[in-house]
Amino acid sequence: MTAPLAFEDFTPGQVFELGSYEVSREEIIEFASAFDPQPFHLDEEAGAASILGGLAASGWHTASITMRLLALGVLNRSTCQGSPGIEKLLWRKPVYAGDVLSARMEILAVRALRSKPGFGMITMRLETTNQTGASVMTYENPALFGMRSSNT
Amino acid sequence: MTAPLAFEDFTPGQVFELGSYEVSREEIIEFASAFDPQPFHLDEEAGAASILGGLAASGWHTASITMRLLALGVLNRSTCQGSPGIEKLLWRKPVYAGDVLSARMEILAVRALRSKPGFGMITMRLETTNQTGASVMTYENPALFGMRSSNT
């Protein structure tokens, strides 16, 4: 079994392509019904009448899809222990039914934690694009990773 | 029919209590399976072995539940047109199966938009607490609201 990616394996500037995900109309409505029941996320006509210009996914849905791609693409083969939060999240363009989203992660910074020996904080920048290459969401995400040296 | 809450109805310092939501074990696992399949969000033992200390909800799940409470509590009876993003999101404590989350929104700032006559940006601060009163998540959220004067 390959050793998981640990704190020491990440360096600023590294880029990980995280794969893609098609967003169906049914899933947009299902997510919005559960978690973001605003009319423009539930109904084609209400979406078209809004500044979104059509039935558009909840921004939290786009963020959740990006989390899935990040978990399956990198975190689930790493020593990641979770994240304290999110900074500078921007929903840059609407996500419409049938859009195919791709995500990309870049390492911004790495910092060993004196307060928590054997662990370090890695700040990632996520960018999600649609099938035209347009950026639909970006955010910065610090996350805690175990050090390889602490696993020996 | 009551007129929807418009830009002019919000002032800094106003607080809205948004109600509560019980998070079941089944829903934690269902959300994580779809959107955040990290072991500590899927499995009791993996959660207990992690720094989260037990099976814990994805942070994006907590954010999505809070969005539901915000939509049903305020936005769906307002002129809200959506949000450009999120700032300073902090996941302060784990959310465990059976937790009952409550959300609260405070108006931080209001700003009419010269670039978009008839609309203004309202910055909200959201705080989500658990049944012990402990804060589990906070974030700041600017959102676009129509002015009442533009609806006449």
Side-chain angles (χ1 to χ4, degrees), chain A residues 27-122:
Chain A
E27 188 181 320
I28 287 176
I29 293 171
E30 185 187 2
F31 187 98
S33 299
F35 297 119
D36 194 352
Q38 299 183 81
F40 37 77
H41 297 318
L42 291 170
D43 180 81
E44 193 64 60
E45 280 187 33
S50 78
I51 58 168
L52 297 171
L55 178 72
S58 168
W60 298 106
H61 189 187
T62 303
S64 296
I65 289 169
T66 301
M67 179 70 237
R68 177 185 176 87
L69 295 173
L70 178 62
L72 295 179
V74 173
L75 301 187
N76 278 6
R77 55 185 177 94
S78 81
T79 62
C80 182
Q81 293 285 304
S83 163
I86 297 292
E87 283 286 349
K88 300 180 188 170
L89 190 155
L90 289 174
W91 290 303
R92 295 171 177 273
K93 283 188 183 298
V95 171
Y96 300 114
D99 277 3
V100 178
L101 302 182
S102 298
R104 178 179 190 273
M105 184 266 277
E106 179 179 351
I107 304 295
L108 292 186
V110 302
R111 181 168 60 89
L113 292 179
R114 287 191 200 178
S115 62
K116 201 170 171 65
F119 291 87
M121 198 67 81
I122 292 180

